[in-house]
Amino acid sequence: MPEQSKLKGYIAGIIAAVAYGTNPLGALFLYREGFNPPSVIFYRFTFAVILLAIILLVQKVPFKITKYEFKVLLSLGVLFAASALSLYTSFKHLDSGVASTILFAYPVMVAVIMAVFFKEKASMMMILSIVLSIIGILLLYQGDGEAKMSLWGVILVLISSLTYAVYIVVVNRTHISMPPFKMTFYIMMFAAIIIGIYSFCVPGSHLMPIPSWTAFGWICMVAIVPTIIAMTMLNIGIQNAGSTPTAILGALEPVTAVCISVLVFDGLFTTRLVLGIALILAAVLLIVVKR
């Protein structure tokens, strides 16, 4: 049974990574429709909450949660809202493939958090993986003089990566036992509330009306694929395979995002970009070897 549980976790982690890697596809099309980042994320989370509520009602899953679960799920909602907002905003400053590749620093961050706060021993292999990931990120930031790059964009992606890493650790360490769709429902609900509050408090971040049926279709896409599917599978992966292995499986995220950037948005696929991706992937593969 433990081996079957791990296999279930690995499969869920792979599905989550591919699904989450489609984030740039929906976001960039919605930006072309005139949306700002908070509007995209708010509609993404809100539509996901509505769909998840319908699923829970059909499955007759009770909505009741304990005070402890409320605190944990609220924290996860805040973390995921911060991660999504910083990532989607970075798409305004960086090539989407580059942004999603820098985001992949989060498995190394997960390993560091586990070592510092939960006393997992940091080996030389772990230190080497961190060095490789930093070099890879620097290569991505330098670009080739043509790709859209900015220091602010890189900072935003690193913030997204860190909050996503903390999210993964919290899911793993709190050991909440509830149906996956129910867990995703509450996380998305709290995240939507946070984004709604942000849009009212920050100038220039007001929520915008949905301008067309095309935009509505893309909102449904980002609500289902990189939200409901990705988050539910991510939580299943973390609970069955562990935080670090699930984070490592996220290697498929930048691969998916770069393919979308090159094939759909005519993004650049340069030698420097390939080298940066290779170094970041090598960094997390070292963690796999360690384990």
Side-chain angles (χ1 to χ4, degrees):
M1 183 61 69
E3 290 302 322
Q4 292 179 349
S5 179
K6 285 186 178 181
L7 178 60
K8 177 182 177 182
Y10 293 147
I11 294 174
I14 291 172
I15 296 173
V18 174
Y20 198 73
T22 64
N23 258 313
L25 180 62
L28 295 179
F29 272 111
L30 286 169
Y31 289 163
R32 291 181 179 181
E33 291 284 328
F35 277 99
N36 57 25
S39 295
V40 174
I41 300 170
F42 178 80
Y43 287 122
R44 170 192 173 191
F45 291 166
T46 301
F47 276 55
V49 169
I50 294 171
L51 293 173
L52 286 165
I54 294 172
I55 293 173
L56 294 177
L57 289 171
V58 171
Q59 294 181 341
K60 297 181 179 179
V61 176
F63 286 85
K64 184 178 180 180
I65 58 176
T66 66
K67 290 183 179 180
Y68 172 73
E69 290 171 339
F70 173 84
K71 293 178 182 179
V72 174
L73 293 171
L74 175 60
S75 300
L76 292 173
V78 172
L79 288 169
F80 196 74
S83 180
L85 182 61
S86 52
L87 178 63
Y88 273 49
T89 304
S90 75
F91 292 156
K92 293 281 191 177
H93 304 275
L94 296 175
D95 176 84
S96 61
V98 175
S100 297
T101 304
I102 298 175
L103 178 70
F104 189 60
Y106 75 82
V108 179
M109 294 182 181
V110 169
V112 171
I113 292 172
M114 296 300 292
V116 173
F117 295 99
F118 299 100
K119 309 304 180 183
E120 282 194 357
K121 186 177 180 181
S123 64
M124 288 301 297
M125 198 170 292
M126 181 80 73
I127 296 172
L128 179 59
S129 70
I130 296 172
V131 172
L132 288 176
S133 67
I134 292 174
I135 295 174
I137 290 172
L138 290 175
L139 284 173
L140 292 176
Y141 172 68
Q142 290 176 6
D144 65 351
E146 298 179 23
K148 183 170 62 175
M149 301 293 295
S150 79
L151 178 59
W152 176 235
V154 173
I155 292 173
L156 284 170
V157 180
L158 290 176
I159 292 173
S160 179
S161 183
L162 177 59
T163 49
Y164 194 51
V166 175
Y167 173 95
I168 290 174
V169 173
V170 172
V171 172
N172 177 251
R173 303 301 296 188
T174 50
H175 304 293
I176 288 183
S177 178
M178 66 172 58
F181 282 130
K182 181 177 178 180
M183 184 175 182
T184 306
F185 167 80
Y186 276 104
I187 294 172
M188 292 300 98
M189 183 182 72
F190 290 133
I193 293 172
I194 295 300
I195 296 299
I197 294 173
Y198 174 89
S199 67
F200 280 108
C201 296
V202 178
S205 300
H206 61 282
L207 296 180
M208 306 169 64
I210 300 175
S212 66
W213 284 107
T214 300
F216 178 80
W218 282 111
I219 288 172
C220 291
M221 178 269 177
V222 297
I224 295 172
V225 181
T227 307
I228 294 178
I229 295 177
M231 293 307 301
T232 302
M233 292 296 104
L234 176 69
N235 294 334
I236 293 174
I238 295 170
Q239 292 171 346
N240 288 273
S243 56
T244 304
T246 303
I248 291 168
L249 291 174
L252 291 175
E253 287 178 26
V255 173
T256 303
V258 167
C259 288
I260 290 173
S261 176
V262 173
L263 297 177
V264 180
F265 298 106
D266 297 322
L268 297 175
F269 196 64
T270 65
T271 302
R272 187 181 293 275
L273 178 59
V274 172
L275 182 58
I277 293 174
L279 288 175
I280 293 174
L281 295 181
V284 296
L285 285 176
L286 285 177
I287 297 177
V288 176
V289 174
K290 170 184 177 294
R291 291 181 172 274

mmCIF file of all heavy atoms in Angstrom, residues 193-226:
data_model
loop_
_atom_site.group_PDB
_atom_site.id
_atom_site.type_symbol
_atom_site.label_atom_id
_atom_site.label_comp_id
_atom_site.label_asym_id
_atom_site.label_seq_id
_atom_site.Cartn_x
_atom_site.Cartn_y
_atom_site.Cartn_z
ATOM 1 N N ILE A 193 -10.863 35.833 -1.953
ATOM 2 C CA ILE A 193 -11.174 36.939 -1.032
ATOM 3 C C ILE A 193 -9.966 37.863 -0.876
ATOM 4 O O ILE A 193 -10.103 39.097 -0.898
ATOM 5 C CB ILE A 193 -11.609 36.381 0.342
ATOM 6 C CG1 ILE A 193 -12.951 35.652 0.209
ATOM 7 C CG2 ILE A 193 -11.715 37.507 1.373
ATOM 8 C CD1 ILE A 193 -13.372 34.904 1.457
ATOM 9 N N ILE A 194 -8.785 37.268 -0.737
ATOM 10 C CA ILE A 194 -7.557 38.066 -0.595
ATOM 11 C C ILE A 194 -7.329 38.932 -1.827
ATOM 12 O O ILE A 194 -7.021 40.124 -1.730
ATOM 13 C CB ILE A 194 -6.343 37.138 -0.362
ATOM 14 C CG1 ILE A 194 -6.470 36.402 0.969
ATOM 15 C CG2 ILE A 194 -5.043 37.957 -0.386
ATOM 16 C CD1 ILE A 194 -6.543 37.285 2.181
ATOM 17 N N ILE A 195 -7.492 38.354 -3.013
ATOM 18 C CA ILE A 195 -7.291 39.109 -4.249
ATOM 19 C C ILE A 195 -8.344 40.204 -4.380
ATOM 20 O O ILE A 195 -8.056 41.314 -4.847
ATOM 21 C CB ILE A 195 -7.333 38.177 -5.476
ATOM 22 C CG1 ILE A 195 -6.162 37.182 -5.430
ATOM 23 C CG2 ILE A 195 -7.281 38.983 -6.769
ATOM 24 C CD1 ILE A 195 -4.792 37.826 -5.461
ATOM 25 N N GLY A 196 -9.578 39.914 -3.973
ATOM 26 C CA GLY A 196 -10.627 40.923 -4.011
ATOM 27 C C GLY A 196 -10.294 42.117 -3.130
ATOM 28 O O GLY A 196 -10.466 43.274 -3.536
ATOM 29 N N ILE A 197 -9.811 41.845 -1.919
ATOM 30 C CA ILE A 197 -9.408 42.919 -1.003
ATOM 31 C C ILE A 197 -8.246 43.715 -1.600
ATOM 32 O O ILE A 197 -8.227 44.951 -1.554
ATOM 33 C CB ILE A 197 -9.015 42.325 0.370
ATOM 34 C CG1 ILE A 197 -10.241 41.699 1.042
ATOM 35 C CG2 ILE A 197 -8.404 43.404 1.264
ATOM 36 C CD1 ILE A 197 -9.914 40.943 2.315
ATOM 37 N N TYR A 198 -7.284 43.008 -2.179
ATOM 38 C CA TYR A 198 -6.126 43.654 -2.803
ATOM 39 C C TYR A 198 -6.568 44.602 -3.917
ATOM 40 O O TYR A 198 -6.064 45.732 -4.029
ATOM 41 C CB TYR A 198 -5.182 42.584 -3.364
ATOM 42 C CG TYR A 198 -4.022 43.130 -4.170
ATOM 43 C CD1 TYR A 198 -2.823 43.466 -3.545
ATOM 44 C CD2 TYR A 198 -4.117 43.302 -5.545
ATOM 45 C CE1 TYR A 198 -1.757 43.965 -4.275
ATOM 46 C CE2 TYR A 198 -3.055 43.805 -6.278
ATOM 47 C CZ TYR A 198 -1.880 44.128 -5.644
ATOM 48 O OH TYR A 198 -0.821 44.638 -6.378
ATOM 49 N N SER A 199 -7.509 44.161 -4.744
ATOM 50 C CA SER A 199 -7.948 44.969 -5.882
ATOM 51 C C SER A 199 -8.627 46.261 -5.439
ATOM 52 O O SER A 199 -8.576 47.274 -6.149
ATOM 53 C CB SER A 199 -8.898 44.158 -6.764
ATOM 54 O OG SER A 199 -10.114 43.889 -6.082
ATOM 55 N N PHE A 200 -9.265 46.246 -4.270
ATOM 56 C CA PHE A 200 -9.926 47.450 -3.768
ATOM 57 C C PHE A 200 -8.945 48.400 -3.074
ATOM 58 O O PHE A 200 -9.174 49.610 -3.029
ATOM 59 C CB PHE A 200 -11.046 47.077 -2.794
ATOM 60 C CG PHE A 200 -12.310 46.646 -3.473
ATOM 61 C CD1 PHE A 200 -12.688 45.319 -3.458
ATOM 62 C CD2 PHE A 200 -13.115 47.564 -4.140
ATOM 63 C CE1 PHE A 200 -13.850 44.909 -4.095
ATOM 64 C CE2 PHE A 200 -14.282 47.162 -4.772
ATOM 65 C CZ PHE A 200 -14.657 45.830 -4.759
ATOM 66 N N CYS A 201 -7.869 47.850 -2.555
ATOM 67 C CA CYS A 201 -6.942 48.664 -1.748
ATOM 68 C C CYS A 201 -5.775 49.243 -2.543
ATOM 69 O O CYS A 201 -5.204 50.256 -2.137
ATOM 70 C CB CYS A 201 -6.393 47.821 -0.597
ATOM 71 S SG CYS A 201 -7.641 47.281 0.593
ATOM 72 N N VAL A 202 -5.391 48.593 -3.644
ATOM 73 C CA VAL A 202 -4.220 49.016 -4.401
ATOM 74 C C VAL A 202 -4.659 49.778 -5.656
ATOM 75 O O VAL A 202 -5.418 49.248 -6.471
ATOM 76 C CB VAL A 202 -3.352 47.804 -4.810
ATOM 77 C CG1 VAL A 202 -2.158 48.257 -5.644
ATOM 78 C CG2 VAL A 202 -2.884 47.050 -3.572
ATOM 79 N N PRO A 203 -4.205 51.019 -5.824
ATOM 80 C CA PRO A 203 -4.581 51.807 -7.008
ATOM 81 C C PRO A 203 -4.171 51.112 -8.305
ATOM 82 O O PRO A 203 -3.095 50.527 -8.395
ATOM 83 C CB PRO A 203 -3.791 53.113 -6.811
ATOM 84 C CG PRO A 203 -3.549 53.196 -5.342
ATOM 85 C CD PRO A 203 -3.363 51.785 -4.880
ATOM 86 N N GLY A 204 -5.039 51.170 -9.311
ATOM 87 C CA GLY A 204 -4.745 50.571 -10.604
ATOM 88 C C GLY A 204 -4.969 49.077 -10.676
ATOM 89 O O GLY A 204 -4.657 48.449 -11.691
ATOM 90 N N SER A 205 -5.515 48.498 -9.596
ATOM 91 C CA SER A 205 -5.732 47.049 -9.557
ATOM 92 C C SER A 205 -7.211 46.695 -9.485
ATOM 93 O O SER A 205 -7.579 45.605 -9.060
ATOM 94 C CB SER A 205 -4.996 46.439 -8.351
ATOM 95 O OG SER A 205 -3.609 46.683 -8.418
ATOM 96 N N HIS A 206 -8.069 47.617 -9.888
ATOM 97 C CA HIS A 206 -9.510 47.409 -9.787
ATOM 98 C C HIS A 206 -9.955 46.224 -10.654
ATOM 99 O O HIS A 206 -9.348 45.923 -11.689
ATOM 100 C CB HIS A 206 -10.257 48.667 -10.234
ATOM 101 C CG HIS A 206 -9.988 49.040 -11.661
ATOM 102 N ND1 HIS A 206 -8.819 49.671 -12.056
ATOM 103 C CD2 HIS A 206 -10.714 48.852 -12.797
ATOM 104 C CE1 HIS A 206 -8.849 49.864 -13.363
ATOM 105 N NE2 HIS A 206 -9.986 49.376 -13.838
ATOM 106 N N LEU A 207 -11.031 45.572 -10.221
ATOM 107 C CA LEU A 207 -11.568 44.450 -10.978
ATOM 108 C C LEU A 207 -12.291 44.963 -12.223
ATOM 109 O O LEU A 207 -13.034 45.933 -12.166
ATOM 110 C CB LEU A 207 -12.532 43.638 -10.107
ATOM 111 C CG LEU A 207 -11.909 42.962 -8.881
ATOM 112 C CD1 LEU A 207 -12.969 42.193 -8.106
ATOM 113 C CD2 LEU A 207 -10.769 42.033 -9.282
ATOM 114 N N MET A 208 -12.064 44.292 -13.338
ATOM 115 C CA MET A 208 -12.626 44.712 -14.613
ATOM 116 C C MET A 208 -13.734 43.751 -15.045
ATOM 117 O O MET A 208 -13.680 42.559 -14.728
ATOM 118 C CB MET A 208 -11.514 44.734 -15.670
ATOM 119 C CG MET A 208 -10.315 45.581 -15.276
ATOM 120 S SD MET A 208 -8.886 45.343 -16.367
ATOM 121 C CE MET A 208 -9.554 45.966 -17.909
ATOM 122 N N PRO A 209 -14.756 44.246 -15.746
ATOM 123 C CA PRO A 209 -15.817 43.363 -16.237
ATOM 124 C C PRO A 209 -15.302 42.450 -17.347
ATOM 125 O O PRO A 209 -14.320 42.768 -18.020
ATOM 126 C CB PRO A 209 -16.871 44.339 -16.773
ATOM 127 C CG PRO A 209 -16.090 45.562 -17.131
ATOM 128 C CD PRO A 209 -14.987 45.657 -16.115
ATOM 129 N N ILE A 210 -15.942 41.306 -17.517
ATOM 130 C CA ILE A 210 -15.564 40.370 -18.580
ATOM 131 C C ILE A 210 -16.046 40.940 -19.914
ATOM 132 O O ILE A 210 -17.250 41.112 -20.120
ATOM 133 C CB ILE A 210 -16.182 38.987 -18.337
ATOM 134 C CG1 ILE A 210 -15.691 38.430 -16.986
ATOM 135 C CG2 ILE A 210 -15.809 38.022 -19.459
ATOM 136 C CD1 ILE A 210 -16.328 37.114 -16.594
ATOM 137 N N PRO A 211 -15.131 41.246 -20.841
ATOM 138 C CA PRO A 211 -15.511 41.986 -22.046
ATOM 139 C C PRO A 211 -16.112 41.161 -23.177
ATOM 140 O O PRO A 211 -16.770 41.702 -24.064
ATOM 141 C CB PRO A 211 -14.179 42.603 -22.497
ATOM 142 C CG PRO A 211 -13.157 41.619 -22.046
ATOM 143 C CD PRO A 211 -13.680 41.043 -20.753
ATOM 144 N N SER A 212 -15.882 39.839 -23.198
ATOM 145 C CA SER A 212 -16.335 39.052 -24.337
ATOM 146 C C SER A 212 -16.477 37.584 -23.949
ATOM 147 O O SER A 212 -16.000 37.150 -22.900
ATOM 148 C CB SER A 212 -15.337 39.184 -25.495
ATOM 149 O OG SER A 212 -14.096 38.592 -25.138
ATOM 150 N N TRP A 213 -17.149 36.827 -24.837
ATOM 151 C CA TRP A 213 -17.273 35.396 -24.613
ATOM 152 C C TRP A 213 -15.932 34.692 -24.757
ATOM 153 O O TRP A 213 -15.681 33.662 -24.118
ATOM 154 C CB TRP A 213 -18.295 34.802 -25.593
ATOM 155 C CG TRP A 213 -19.711 35.099 -25.222
ATOM 156 C CD1 TRP A 213 -20.558 35.971 -25.821
ATOM 157 C CD2 TRP A 213 -20.446 34.514 -24.128
ATOM 158 N NE1 TRP A 213 -21.779 35.992 -25.187
ATOM 159 C CE2 TRP A 213 -21.741 35.092 -24.137
ATOM 160 C CE3 TRP A 213 -20.149 33.568 -23.148
ATOM 161 C CZ2 TRP A 213 -22.721 34.762 -23.222
ATOM 162 C CZ3 TRP A 213 -21.132 33.226 -22.226
ATOM 163 C CH2 TRP A 213 -22.400 33.809 -22.259
ATOM 164 N N THR A 214 -15.056 35.256 -25.574
ATOM 165 C CA THR A 214 -13.713 34.689 -25.706
ATOM 166 C C THR A 214 -12.974 34.776 -24.374
ATOM 167 O O THR A 214 -12.338 33.803 -23.935
ATOM 168 C CB THR A 214 -12.911 35.442 -26.789
ATOM 169 O OG1 THR A 214 -13.587 35.338 -28.043
ATOM 170 C CG2 THR A 214 -11.506 34.858 -26.918
ATOM 171 N N ALA A 215 -13.060 35.948 -23.734
ATOM 172 C CA ALA A 215 -12.436 36.122 -22.421
ATOM 173 C C ALA A 215 -13.055 35.170 -21.399
ATOM 174 O O ALA A 215 -12.346 34.586 -20.563
ATOM 175 C CB ALA A 215 -12.588 37.566 -21.962
ATOM 176 N N PHE A 216 -14.385 35.000 -21.480
ATOM 177 C CA PHE A 216 -15.069 34.085 -20.568
ATOM 178 C C PHE A 216 -14.528 32.666 -20.734
ATOM 179 O O PHE A 216 -14.312 31.939 -19.760
ATOM 180 C CB PHE A 216 -16.579 34.117 -20.834
ATOM 181 C CG PHE A 216 -17.366 33.164 -19.975
ATOM 182 C CD1 PHE A 216 -17.697 33.485 -18.674
ATOM 183 C CD2 PHE A 216 -17.763 31.925 -20.484
ATOM 184 C CE1 PHE A 216 -18.419 32.590 -17.885
ATOM 185 C CE2 PHE A 216 -18.475 31.028 -19.705
ATOM 186 C CZ PHE A 216 -18.812 31.366 -18.400
ATOM 187 N N GLY A 217 -14.305 32.268 -21.992
ATOM 188 C CA GLY A 217 -13.771 30.930 -22.256
ATOM 189 C C GLY A 217 -12.388 30.734 -21.668
ATOM 190 O O GLY A 217 -12.101 29.684 -21.077
ATOM 191 N N TRP A 218 -11.524 31.749 -21.796
ATOM 192 C CA TRP A 218 -10.177 31.647 -21.244
ATOM 193 C C TRP A 218 -10.206 31.659 -19.714
ATOM 194 O O TRP A 218 -9.378 31.003 -19.065
ATOM 195 C CB TRP A 218 -9.293 32.769 -21.776
ATOM 196 C CG TRP A 218 -8.813 32.508 -23.160
ATOM 197 C CD1 TRP A 218 -9.162 33.165 -24.302
ATOM 198 C CD2 TRP A 218 -7.898 31.485 -23.569
ATOM 199 N NE1 TRP A 218 -8.541 32.632 -25.396
ATOM 200 C CE2 TRP A 218 -7.759 31.600 -24.979
ATOM 201 C CE3 TRP A 218 -7.197 30.495 -22.898
ATOM 202 C CZ2 TRP A 218 -6.930 30.743 -25.709
ATOM 203 C CZ3 TRP A 218 -6.373 29.647 -23.626
ATOM 204 C CH2 TRP A 218 -6.246 29.775 -25.001
ATOM 205 N N ILE A 219 -11.157 32.393 -19.128
ATOM 206 C CA ILE A 219 -11.298 32.381 -17.670
ATOM 207 C C ILE A 219 -11.673 30.976 -17.196
ATOM 208 O O ILE A 219 -11.139 30.482 -16.192
ATOM 209 C CB ILE A 219 -12.357 33.412 -17.224
ATOM 210 C CG1 ILE A 219 -11.807 34.830 -17.396
ATOM 211 C CG2 ILE A 219 -12.745 33.181 -15.766
ATOM 212 C CD1 ILE A 219 -12.833 35.915 -17.159
ATOM 213 N N CYS A 220 -12.595 30.337 -17.918
ATOM 214 C CA CYS A 220 -12.961 28.960 -17.571
ATOM 215 C C CYS A 220 -11.749 28.041 -17.678
ATOM 216 O O CYS A 220 -11.556 27.141 -16.843
ATOM 217 C CB CYS A 220 -14.077 28.470 -18.483
ATOM 218 S SG CYS A 220 -15.682 29.273 -18.211
ATOM 219 N N MET A 221 -10.913 28.283 -18.699
ATOM 220 C CA MET A 221 -9.720 27.451 -18.887
ATOM 221 C C MET A 221 -8.775 27.585 -17.696
ATOM 222 O O MET A 221 -8.308 26.578 -17.139
ATOM 223 C CB MET A 221 -9.014 27.841 -20.188
ATOM 224 C CG MET A 221 -7.720 27.081 -20.465
ATOM 225 S SD MET A 221 -6.285 27.954 -19.763
ATOM 226 C CE MET A 221 -4.976 26.807 -20.143
ATOM 227 N N VAL A 222 -8.471 28.829 -17.286
ATOM 228 C CA VAL A 222 -7.525 29.009 -16.177
ATOM 229 C C VAL A 222 -8.141 28.587 -14.848
ATOM 230 O O VAL A 222 -7.417 28.260 -13.894
ATOM 231 C CB VAL A 222 -7.009 30.464 -16.088
ATOM 232 C CG1 VAL A 222 -6.222 30.838 -17.329
ATOM 233 C CG2 VAL A 222 -8.152 31.454 -15.865
ATOM 234 N N ALA A 223 -9.461 28.576 -14.756
ATOM 235 C CA ALA A 223 -10.119 28.111 -13.537
ATOM 236 C C ALA A 223 -10.064 26.599 -13.403
ATOM 237 O O ALA A 223 -9.966 26.065 -12.293
ATOM 238 C CB ALA A 223 -11.574 28.587 -13.504
ATOM 239 N N ILE A 224 -10.089 25.916 -14.551
ATOM 240 C CA ILE A 224 -10.134 24.453 -14.529
ATOM 241 C C ILE A 224 -8.740 23.823 -14.564
ATOM 242 O O ILE A 224 -8.386 23.020 -13.692
ATOM 243 C CB ILE A 224 -10.975 23.930 -15.710
ATOM 244 C CG1 ILE A 224 -12.438 24.358 -15.550
ATOM 245 C CG2 ILE A 224 -10.886 22.402 -15.795
ATOM 246 C CD1 ILE A 224 -13.302 24.058 -16.748
ATOM 247 N N VAL A 225 -7.922 24.205 -15.562
ATOM 248 C CA VAL A 225 -6.657 23.480 -15.774
ATOM 249 C C VAL A 225 -5.572 23.862 -14.761
ATOM 250 O O VAL A 225 -5.150 23.005 -13.966
ATOM 251 C CB VAL A 225 -6.154 23.665 -17.226
ATOM 252 C CG1 VAL A 225 -4.855 22.884 -17.438
ATOM 253 C CG2 VAL A 225 -7.209 23.190 -18.217
ATOM 254 N N PRO A 226 -5.071 25.129 -14.746
ATOM 255 C CA PRO A 226 -3.998 25.444 -13.801
ATOM 256 C C PRO A 226 -4.490 25.755 -12.385
ATOM 257 O O PRO A 226 -3.695 26.151 -11.543
ATOM 258 C CB PRO A 226 -3.345 26.678 -14.430
ATOM 259 C CG PRO A 226 -4.450 27.358 -15.139
ATOM 260 C CD PRO A 226 -5.370 26.284 -15.623
#
